[in-house]
């Protein structure tokens, strides 16, 4: 979930080598999307879901670096809508990012045209509705930003491209969930896990008695596919795996990684990963694709889809492939630490990713951000960061800034937790223009937290158990940490995990 006080919008401070000989204007691509309710029964119960152009999940936005996207969105829901282009670094029109801090929501029945450039980035991202808890009902879909032809990709062209959404799912509507979250009940455990909007393949007798449609991915023996896997859920970390198949991690949220095989991967809410998967098994039967809940024991069933070779003669066999030990946060942390940037791979530009030496940049500002567990503040259950529960203003921050409207927000977000009563406020970080910021997230709650820094990527330089201290800096990875837009802080009893991140950032707004 988005952390509202951290509406960082950045312009690049990286001086890229310029590409000669490509002076042609960046192309424009036009879309017309209608967002509306559909009826679906992903877990066997008929319910309203949010679709785009009649699809749930929505269509894939498949574009190439530097294209200009002109996206006319019609809101046919019965409430305001904002679509956010998660992980897309809005360098040209930073206010077009579809979050409350920058955009006004599209009123019900209206349409509005987003215009943005997918500038200097590549990789796998996804869009989703950013307000009103609507993501709990869908409205999400994939974003693929392809390399320009002249920029090499650090692996052979895959034989196919598969986008998978894994998510926790509730049979309650997002409107009902919204009320629950603000009331005493809280969110509660999900009713199941979906893969691409489908419920689980009936892998147990109990599920078989109440069979519901499940997802199937058709493949050819011997071929290699790029699986882009997104956790589009609300609250649940998921472990992703494919029976008998290795996941060769190649990219995450726009960073090419050091290529390593994993048998499974913990994917936290909001995160995106690309794996190359080679169909190197006999293929005489189907295989399970599994997304199982992590660190919670209350979810009834895992998400299960089917990988079907064209040569398959029958259903997937045996039990689901083993997950990591249920509550093993050490495993999860070590796995997250093992994800490294391939410094020599070129990303969106010809100069290699490693040429931006983030470890040598002087930090301008340091923020230690501690989340508080939800508590009743002014009549509602609210979570806090450094003792502040953020309230979005009716005037977007960017407009207030642009037109010098005073009283919309306060530039007083504290650099450290304050010893005072929690409060509700529109408190914003007063950042340094073209600064380079270090943010330490410390989790004081008992559940995993996922932080997304909208409109930018940051380097995940370290994470560990316990309390962060100044000495923790000696363990930072200042060489090949991966740059991404979404990271998590796990918990491990108390004191809990903390996560250090260092931001390569331009302006704060
Ligand atoms: C995306 O578009 C490119 C052409 O620009 C095409 O080669 C590729 O197959 C498309 N990918 C998907 C997943 O549709
Ligand atoms: C609404 O859609 C119409 C028809 O597609 C288009 O002409 C108009 O520019 C759109 N309005 C906005 C504000 O995007
Ligand atoms: C890193 O990227 C380079 C350049 O594209 C590629 O040749 C190499 O195989 C990659 N190495 C790893 C370990 O992923
Ligand atoms: C990953 O596993 C595949 C087999 O599934 C193997 O062919 C490949 O060499 C492995 N790659 C790495 C980098 O370990
Ligand atoms: C807002 O204030 C700044 C600095 O005082 C000034 O340069 C700018 O012109 C003002 N903008 C508007 C729209 O009044
Ligand atoms: C924000 O920071 C700048 C630079 O440190 C400072 O000059 C300015 O007074 C601060 N603004 C507020 C409202 O605190």
């Amino acid at each position: 979930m988005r952390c509202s006080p951290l509406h960082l919008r950045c312009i690049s401070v990286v001086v890229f080598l310029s590409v000669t000989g490509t002076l042609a204007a960046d192309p424009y691509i036009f879309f017309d999307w209608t967002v509306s309710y559909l009826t679906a029964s992903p877990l066997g119960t008929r319910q309203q879901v949010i679709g785009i152009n009649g699809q749930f999940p929505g269509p894939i936005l498949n574009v190439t670096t530097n294209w200009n996207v002109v996206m006319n969105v019609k809101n046919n829901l019965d409430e305001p809508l904002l679509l956010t282009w998660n992980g897309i670094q809005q360098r040209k029109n930073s206010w077009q990012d579809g979050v409350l801090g920058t955009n006004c929501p599209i009123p019900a029945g209206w349409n509005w045209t987003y215009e943005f450039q997918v500038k200097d980035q590549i990789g796998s991202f996804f869009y989703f509705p950013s307000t009103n808890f609507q993501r709990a009902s869908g409205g999400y879909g994939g974003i693929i930003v392809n390399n320009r032809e002249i920029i090499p990709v650090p692996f052979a062209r895959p034989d196919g491209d598969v986008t998978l959404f894994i998510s926790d799912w509730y049979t309650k509507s997002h409107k009902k969930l919204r009320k629950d979250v603000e009331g005493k009940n809280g969110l509660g455990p999900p009713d199941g896990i979906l893969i691409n909007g489908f419920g689980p393949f009936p892998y147990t007798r109990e599920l078989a008695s109440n069979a519901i449609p499940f997802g199937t991915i058709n493949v050819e023996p011997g071929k290699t596919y790029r699986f882009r896997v997104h956790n589009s859920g609300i609250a649940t970390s998921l472990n992703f795996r494919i029976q008998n198949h290795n996941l060769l991690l190649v990219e995450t949220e726009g960073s090419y990684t050091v290529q390593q095989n994993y048998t499974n991967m913990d994917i936290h809410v909001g995160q995106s990963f690309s794996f190359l998967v080679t169909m190197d098994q006999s293929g005489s039967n189907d295989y399970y694709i599994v997304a199982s809940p992590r660190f919670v024991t209350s979810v009834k069933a895992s998400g299960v889809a089917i990988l079907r070779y064209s040569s398959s003669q029958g259903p997937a066999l045996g039990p689901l492939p083993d997950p990591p030990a249920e509550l093993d946060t050490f495993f999860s942390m070590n796995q997250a630490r093992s994800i490294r940037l391939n410094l020599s791979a070129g990303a969106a530009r010809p100069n290699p990713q490693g040429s931006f030496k983030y470890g040598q940049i002087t930090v301008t500002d340091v923020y230690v951000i501690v989340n508080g567990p939800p508590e009743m503040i002014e009549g509602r259950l609210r979570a806090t960061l450094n003792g502040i529960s953020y309230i979005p203003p009716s005037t977007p921050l960017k407009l207030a800034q642009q037109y010098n409207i005073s009283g919309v927000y306060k530039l007083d977000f504290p650099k450290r937790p304050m010893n005072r009563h929690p409060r509700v406020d529109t408190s914003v970080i007063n950042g340094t223009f073209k600064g380079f910021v270090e943010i330490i997230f410390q989790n004081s709650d008992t559940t995993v937290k996922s932080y997304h820094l909208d409109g930018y990527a940051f380097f995940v330089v370290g994470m560990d158990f316990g309390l962060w201290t100044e000495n923790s800096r000696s363990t930072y990875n200042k060489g090949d940490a991966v740059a991404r837009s979404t990271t998590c802080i796990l918990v491990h009893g108390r004191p809990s995990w903390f996560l250090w991140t260092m931001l390569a950032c331009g302006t704060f707004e």
Side-chain angles (χ1 to χ4, degrees):
M1 263 176 283
R2 199 168 295 280
C3 286
S4 299
L6 295 173
H7 280 315
L8 313 186
R9 286 309 170 292
C10 307
I11 54 168
S12 175
V13 294
V14 187
V15 182
F16 290 106
L17 301 177
S18 62
V19 188
T20 50
T22 54
L23 294 173
D26 295 325
Y28 278 78
I29 183 161
F30 298 85
F31 296 92
D32 280 298
W33 282 5
T34 300
V35 181
S36 60
Y37 294 118
L38 309 173
T39 303
S41 313
L43 291 176
T45 308
R46 270 170 74 85
Q47 63 184 119
Q48 234 177 22
V49 303
I50 297 175
I52 292 175
N53 291 354
Q55 289 171 245
F56 164 68
I60 291 172
L61 178 58
N62 179 17
V63 292
T64 296
T65 307
N66 294 354
W67 284 10
N68 293 287
V69 177
V70 181
M71 170 70 72
N72 184 6
V73 176
K74 174 84 197 292
N75 175 14
N76 275 356
L77 304 180
D78 58 355
E79 55 183 16
L81 166 78
L82 268 172
L83 281 187
T84 186
W85 320 97
N86 198 24
I88 298 298
Q89 296 168 24
Q90 305 280 350
R91 294 205 172 124
K92 202 158 108 182
N93 287 342
S94 70
W95 58 278
Q96 300 251 349
D97 205 29
V99 291
L100 281 176
T102 56
N103 269 155
C104 292
I106 310 170
W110 289 42
N111 67 309
W112 193 72
T113 305
Y114 292 89
E115 194 173 327
F116 56 88
Q117 186 175 20
V118 290
K119 183 82 180 146
D120 293 332
Q121 60 183 144
I122 50 98
S124 312
F125 312 95
F126 69 104
Y127 60 84
F128 59 86
S130 67
T131 62
N132 283 327
F133 229 71
Q134 288 159 351
R135 190 165 92 195
S137 290
Y140 50 76
I143 302 177
I144 295 175
V145 185
N146 299 292
N147 292 64
R148 289 176 293 154
E149 283 298 333
I150 56 159
I151 311 290
V153 176
F155 45 85
R157 182 185 282 271
D159 299 300
D161 206 296
V162 177
T163 290
L164 291 182
F165 285 97
I166 58 177
S167 69
D168 51 14
W169 189 259
Y170 296 78
T171 51
K172 280 180 194 166
S173 71
H174 66 276
K175 293 179 184 173
K176 180 76 175 66
L177 289 172
R178 208 154 69 195
K179 285 213 183 72
D180 286 356
V181 165
E182 290 174 346
K184 287 202 175 62
N185 297 338
L187 191 56
D191 298 299
I193 308 296
L194 304 192
I195 299 185
N196 280 3
F198 289 107
F201 171 84
Y203 64 96
T204 63
R205 230 178 246 143
E206 193 191 354
L207 288 168
S209 64
N210 189 14
I212 48 181
F214 55 88
T216 303
I217 304 298
N218 291 302
V219 294
E220 296 293 328
K223 300 253 157 109
T224 296
Y225 296 79
R226 182 172 183 172
F227 279 71
R228 302 178 197 254
V229 190
H230 312 274
N231 184 335
S232 54
I234 289 298
T236 313
S237 297
L238 298 170
N239 182 266
F240 177 79
R241 52 201 189 274
I242 303 180
Q243 187 183 25
N244 292 4
H245 290 76
N246 271 335
L247 306 170
L248 183 68
L249 177 68
V250 293
E251 180 256 333
T252 182
E253 294 165 28
S255 289
Y256 287 126
T257 62
V258 170
Q259 294 172 19
Q260 296 178 75
N261 276 321
Y262 294 86
T263 50
N264 63 72
M265 178 66 70
D266 278 350
I267 303 184
H268 304 281
V269 170
Q271 290 190 323
S272 303
F273 288 88
S274 279
F275 306 105
L276 295 184
V277 184
T278 299
M279 300 307 141
D280 55 6
Q281 296 300 298
S282 75
S284 55
N285 54 266
D286 296 347
Y287 300 91
Y288 299 120
I289 300 173
V290 184
S292 59
R294 286 291 271 149
F295 320 123
V296 285
T297 49
S298 49
V299 184
K300 289 168 219 141
S302 291
V304 182
I306 289 300
L307 182 74
R308 180 164 295 156
Y309 283 49
S310 58
S311 53
S312 175
Q313 307 287 316
L317 301 174
L320 298 184
D322 286 336
E326 198 136 322
L327 301 172
D328 190 352
T329 45
F330 288 92
F331 170 90
S332 199
M333 180 171 70
N334 286 333
Q335 188 180 60
R337 281 171 168 164
S338 74
I339 300 169
R340 298 298 177 96
L341 200 62
N342 179 339
L343 297 175
S344 62
R349 292 259 176 174
N351 50 321
Q353 296 180 133
S355 57
F356 176 53
K357 294 187 165 39
Y358 68 90
Q360 294 173 15
I361 298 174
T362 306
V363 167
T364 333
D365 296 290
V366 179
Y367 283 84
V368 177
I369 297 182
V370 180
N371 60 292
E375 58 184 303
M376 291 307 276
I377 309 170
E378 294 187 12
R380 279 185 185 174
L381 201 55
R382 300 173 199 265
T384 56
L385 295 179
N386 285 0
I388 299 175
S389 180
Y390 180 81
I391 294 289
S394 52
T395 304
L397 303 175
K398 293 246 4 167
L399 276 179
Q401 184 189 32
Q402 181 87 12
Y403 293 98
N404 300 330
I405 304 167
S406 62
V408 173
Y409 58 85
K410 292 177 195 154
L411 275 182
D412 64 351
F413 189 80
K415 291 196 163 169
R416 296 276 190 288
M418 311 279 274
N419 190 14
R420 63 184 189 197
H421 282 298
R423 61 172 68 165
V424 169
D425 217 339
T426 303
S427 177
V428 174
I429 287 177
N430 181 18
T432 308
F433 182 59
K434 295 195 173 181
F436 191 79
V437 186
E438 177 184 4
I439 298 186
I440 297 104
F441 292 111
Q442 177 101 36
N443 191 355
S444 70
D445 199 359
T446 52
T447 57
V448 178
K449 299 291 178 249
S450 197
Y451 285 86
H452 170 66
L453 275 92
D454 197 64
Y456 215 77
F458 51 91
F459 294 92
V460 182
V461 296
M463 55 182 80
D464 212 338
F465 298 105
L467 291 170
W468 180 87
T469 67
E470 304 282 329
N471 291 336
S472 306
R473 289 203 178 96
S474 64
T475 67
Y476 282 5
N477 174 357
K478 291 194 166 191
D480 61 357
V482 80
R484 64 184 321 145
S485 66
T486 308
T487 191
C488 70
I489 334 182
L490 297 129
V491 283
H492 182 73
R494 281 169 192 270
S496 49
W497 277 43
F498 63 90
L499 176 91
W500 309 311
T501 65
M502 201 190 252
L503 297 177
C505 207
T507 51
F508 274 116
E509 285 152 27

